[in-house]
Amino acid sequence: MRTELHRHLDTPLAAVRNLGILAHVDAGKTTLTERILYLTGSTHKRGEVHDGTTVTDFDPQERDRGITIFAAAVSCTWDAHRINLIDTPGHVDFSDEVARSLRVLDGAVAVFDAVAGVEPQSEAVWRQADRYGVPRIAFVNKLDRAGADLDTAVESIRERLHPTPLVVQLPIGSEAGFTGVVDLPRMRSLVWPEGRDTVEEGPVPEALRDAAEGRRRQLEEAAAELHPGALEEFCAEGTLSARTLTAALRDLTRSGDGVVVLCGSAYRNRGIEPLLDAVVAYLPSPLDVPAVRGTRDGGEQERFADLAAPFAALVFKVNGTATGRLTYLRVYSGTIGKGETVWDSGTGRTERVGRILRVQADRHAPLERAVAGDIVAVVGLKSARAGSTLCAPGAPLVLEPPTVADPVVSVAVEAVGSAEAEQLVSALTRLVEEDPSLVVRTDHETGQLVLSGMGELHLEVAVEKIRLAHGLDVRVGRPRVAYRETVVRGVSGLVHRHVKQDGGAGEFAHVVLDVEPLEDVPGDGDGGGATRFEFRSTVVGGRVPQEYVRALEAGCRDALPDGPLGGHPVTGVRVVLTDGATHPKDSSERAFRTAGRFALREALRACAMVLLEPVADVTVTVPDDAVGGVLGDLAARRGQVSGSVARAGVVVISATVPLVELFGYATRLRSRTRGRGVFTARPAGYAPAPSTASTGTAAR
């Protein structure tokens, strides 16, 4: 059977690499992807971000804005290996798109600017990759820029990301004179002559020989310190062969104990070939990663990348196009052919796969089958969502979906004409299907449709997509941030008695609760602000049966979305059931759930509560002569400056600023710095808001 199945493979699984390109915005991810596609023969012309001719940034908004907004999948071939590559967004507002991609990838290339080093979003995507256990190699880009320095960039990787950098290249030339690299494992030079696309291999230049030998020695010592096999040879021979060093680097990359660092200039077509060689040599194939784990009938089950195993795949992206609905998935085990039926664990229904497509950004090539290790798109699925597990109907399995962060910014949206209102609802529904980090709800006070997302740009892109894709004229309200409420001083021994007797069966529940704050600051460090709630019972002697305790907890959770200060979700609270009583006839799970809801609402009104607002870590880069004005403006926006670093005529300021104060900040910063200042922000959780803060405050 395996022989027959393997005939469907155009490339053995061991020669497949599923990887993502990760970086801060403007670090050069998309340019690097374009050069990879050109060098591997997948395209015949180099696309440029500034010309709007790139393959992966094919959406009109991406080309207009010059940034990656949507993760785009492409495939290419290098050295008889198939590389399935996802170019991910670099802007913090689209970090959820990065998380969904990382969930299905086996490896990644992290791109860093040789001048700026590790930037805020570089750190954020690195932590996301840590969370999903994705092995990485690093590419220090833009080595041809003024102020570029490989050693400084590597040191920032060591200090801010905390891996052990394993630098395998030494630059030849610097800044505008950067022409090539010394390949330290093989001790050879790789030079890219000006105006040519091919690399020239040669001996190490005499002027760099001592430096190269010293760097090679440092690399050997770092590898031997971390890898037992390399240590054994190093102690016996006093050096490491290229073969042993390469094997050690591969093991350390895949285990996460080290990160291989390469360098180059994607824009100048320098350093791409050795980067592709490193992808093939060091990053894992689907056979090298641990088996995916899922649940089946309440128990845990593993699925290996085996073509003979039952089919299992995870949906990570859904995209509506003019020709139909595309469902992007990663196949973890088994195979699937067009026309076959799959079971969707999310909806509990079966669906038929119409077509299977190999994806090349906005272009597609038909496939007869998809197999374990593939990243493909399928046509014909009507209800699958991002995070859904698709599997063989006879072998159900539920895989862990990607995490979705809570939205932090909201705007009201409405159609200009009443006739378009229904179309707007349909368009918003489709938008949320494609992007789970967007949330649509109806405001119970105003009746308005409220669209919530991860930031101003995220919402701006979403609304513009409605206008472009559906031809709707949409009015947008002023931005609002997602506040939270938390307990700072609790109450003890609150007694609540729920009694209902109006004919027929009655309801009775008697509970005594302690309500207290949880110790940790709400938020998970990424600004998600997910609700934190803990419930426990200290009742003994069976005074409250366990099924009623569970119902009481559910009732308490029902009360959390509507806090006493302003109707905001409550987070950071612990509820302890200390006593209770039941009635032999009138007590029920329903009665205790109702009691839990009303009891916690009553308790929260008696607690000392504080309003929390989302805050962001902001990095502002400004010219020397504009620092004073920018610092004053940050102070006026309630910003807490944590530090500043002078760097080649500019100053990089780090601060924590309430998110509500950042609305419109880009325009203000440009005016204060004559267009020369830039800033980035990433969510940093929640902090107490001043008592005068208005929960509906918009940008100044």
Side-chain angles (χ1 to χ4, degrees):
M1 182 177 180
R2 285 183 60 84
T3 302
E4 288 299 316
L5 289 170
H6 272 83
R7 289 175 185 170
H8 293 292
L9 274 171
D10 55 356
T11 308
L13 282 181
V16 173
R17 300 291 184 271
N18 293 316
L19 65 110
I21 307 292
L22 312 175
H24 185 89
V25 65
D26 288 336
K29 299 182 315 305
T30 301
T31 300
L32 176 61
T33 303
E34 289 297 317
R35 298 306 186 261
I36 288 174
L37 293 176
Y38 177 74
L39 190 63
T40 57
S42 298
T43 59
H44 302 291
K45 183 180 179 181
R46 290 189 293 265
E48 303 293 353
V49 173
H50 54 270
D51 292 334
T53 57
T54 57
V55 172
T56 52
D57 285 355
F58 58 85
D59 187 272
Q61 291 200 71
E62 293 178 309
R63 292 186 170 178
D64 288 345
R65 299 173 188 272
I67 62 171
T68 300
I69 296 173
F70 309 107
V74 292
S75 293
C76 58
T77 302
W78 180 258
D79 191 23
H81 287 68
R82 187 175 76 244
I83 299 174
N84 298 319
L85 187 152
I86 297 180
D87 179 22
T88 66
H91 195 284
V92 65
D93 281 16
F94 308 101
S95 57
D96 205 65
E97 189 95 353
V98 181
R100 292 197 300 275
S101 300
L102 282 170
R103 174 63 181 83
V104 299
L105 293 173
D106 300 325
V109 175
V111 183
F112 301 94
D113 187 313
V115 178
V118 176
E119 298 175 90
Q121 187 61 7
S122 313
E123 190 170 352
V125 295
W126 189 274
R127 300 299 174 218
Q128 286 178 308
D130 282 342
R131 191 175 306 135
Y132 289 105
V134 177
R136 280 140 282 170
I137 58 178
F139 182 72
V140 179
N141 192 25
K142 302 187 179 183
L143 218 61
D144 59 319
R145 286 183 58 197
D149 185 87
L150 176 62
D151 291 339
T152 301
V154 169
E155 192 57 33
S156 72
I157 292 172
R158 187 193 311 275
E159 290 180 357
R160 297 188 60 177
L161 306 181
H162 310 298
T164 299
L166 303 167
V167 184
V168 298
Q169 292 177 341
L170 174 67
I172 298 175
S174 62
E175 298 183 352
F178 170 69
T179 58
V181 298
V182 174
D183 176 10
L184 297 177
R186 292 173 178 79
M187 289 300 286
R188 57 177 181 167
S189 70
L190 300 172
V191 177
W192 290 267
E194 189 69 39
R196 294 174 58 184
D197 294 331
T198 55
V199 60
E200 293 183 357
E201 182 179 337
V204 178
E206 196 62 38
L208 291 176
R209 179 162 293 281
D210 289 346
E213 289 176 350
R215 294 294 180 99
R216 175 61 147 78
R217 186 70 176 181
Q218 292 175 14
L219 178 61
E220 291 176 350
E221 290 172 352
E225 187 176 335
L226 297 170
H227 191 277
L231 177 62
E232 184 178 344
E233 182 173 315
F234 188 77
C235 292
E237 306 293 336
T239 187
L240 294 179
S241 66
R243 182 175 180 178
T244 300
L245 182 56
T246 300
L249 294 175
R250 179 175 58 248
D251 292 343
L252 294 172
T253 298
R254 295 178 182 181
S255 67
D257 293 325
V259 56
V260 170
V261 180
L262 301 97
C263 61
S265 168
Y267 183 69
R268 303 288 181 192
N269 310 304
R270 293 167 187 166
I272 313 303
E273 293 95 334
L275 175 62
L276 286 167
D277 290 338
V279 165
V280 168
Y282 305 132
L283 291 179
S285 75
L287 296 175
D288 299 319
V289 297
V292 67
R293 294 176 179 270
T295 56
R296 178 179 180 180
D297 299 329
E300 192 175 84
Q301 189 176 94
E302 290 184 339
R303 290 280 175 89
F304 292 90
D306 186 350
L307 278 66
F311 171 73
L314 185 69
V315 176
F316 67 94
K317 183 178 176 70
V318 175
N319 188 27
T321 68
T323 57
R325 187 175 187 268
L326 290 179
T327 304
Y328 294 77
L329 51 91
R330 160 70 188 267
V331 182
Y332 282 101
S333 65
T335 71
I336 187 70
K338 66 178 184 179
E340 295 183 9
T341 299
V342 296
W343 186 72
D344 182 347
S345 65
T347 61
R349 55 184 288 187
T350 57
E351 293 201 73
R352 182 178 174 274
V353 175
R355 289 185 295 152
I356 303 174
L357 305 171
R358 176 85 67 208
V359 182
Q360 197 74 355
D362 58 341
R363 295 178 287 117
H364 314 99
L367 294 173
E368 289 298 315
R369 300 191 71 81
V371 301
D374 267 337
I375 292 179
V376 296
V378 299
V379 179
L381 305 185
K382 298 178 181 178
S383 59
R385 303 287 184 269
S388 295
T389 302
L390 303 179
C391 52
L397 188 73
V398 179
L399 301 176
E400 181 184 355
T403 56
V404 179
D406 288 345
V408 294
V409 180
S410 302
V411 292
V413 292
E414 61 180 19
V416 172
S418 57
E420 297 178 322
E422 198 169 311
Q423 296 178 54
L424 177 60
V425 173
S426 176
L428 288 170
T429 301
R430 181 167 162 180
L431 200 65
V432 172
E433 284 182 11
E434 296 180 8
D435 186 351
S437 61
L438 290 170
V439 174
V440 176
R441 62 179 176 84
T442 301
D443 190 292
H444 65 275
E445 293 181 355
T446 65
Q448 289 179 303
L449 286 172
V450 177
L451 178 64
S452 303
M454 302 306 297
E456 272 189 287
L457 181 60
H458 190 204
L459 295 180
E460 189 180 316
V461 166
V463 171
E464 190 63 20
K465 191 171 184 179
I466 292 174
R467 289 173 174 150
L468 293 173
H470 300 272
L472 294 176
D473 194 2
V474 181
R475 277 197 296 257
V476 180
R478 302 174 75 184
R480 299 164 64 96
V481 300
Y483 288 85
R484 297 286 187 268
E485 299 175 22
T486 193
V487 175
V488 292
R489 188 177 66 253
V491 295
S492 299
L494 183 132
V495 179
H496 182 83
R497 190 178 180 89
H498 173 66
V499 180
K500 182 179 179 182
Q501 195 73 49
D502 54 3
E507 291 185 14
F508 178 89
H510 177 88
V511 297
V512 181
L513 303 178
D514 288 350
V515 178
E516 56 195 35
L518 282 175
E519 294 77 10
D520 298 331
V521 176
D524 59 4
D526 293 327
T531 298
R532 295 170 53 257
F533 172 73
E534 185 179 302
F535 181 93
R536 55 191 175 90
S537 171
T538 59
V539 177
V540 296
R543 289 177 58 80
V544 181
Q546 192 60 40
E547 61 269 24
Y548 293 170
V549 173
R550 288 193 294 267
L552 180 70
E553 179 182 354
C556 290
R557 291 184 182 276
D558 292 341
L560 294 176
D562 190 13
L565 294 182
H568 309 291
V570 177
T571 186
V573 61
R574 178 187 292 116
V575 176
V576 182
L577 174 65
T578 60
D579 200 1
T582 62
H583 187 278
K585 291 184 178 179
D586 292 343
S587 289
S588 64
E589 292 183 24
R590 176 180 173 179
F592 271 84
R593 181 161 188 162
T594 302
R597 182 169 65 253
F598 287 108
L600 184 53
R601 286 179 180 172
E602 181 183 344
L604 292 175
R605 287 194 294 269
C607 291
M609 304 286 293
V610 68
L611 189 67
L612 301 174
E613 61 180 347
V615 296
D617 286 335
V618 177
T619 302
V620 190
T621 303
V622 297
D624 290 336
D625 57 4
V627 173
V630 170
L631 288 173
D633 189 46
L634 286 172
R637 293 171 183 270
R638 298 188 283 128
Q640 300 291 322
V641 176
S642 56
S644 63
V645 178
R647 186 190 292 163
V650 299
V651 175
V652 181
I653 302 168
S654 300
T656 301
V657 185
L659 188 62
V660 70
E661 302 288 353
L662 289 177
F663 294 145
Y665 182 58
T667 303
R668 177 68 66 88
L669 180 64
R670 282 195 294 268
S671 68
R672 285 187 174 274
T673 61
R674 300 193 188 100
R676 295 177 294 165
V678 295
F679 86 100
T680 59
R682 66 185 181 96
Y686 281 73
S691 57
T692 55
S694 167
T695 59
T697 302
R700 61 181 67 208

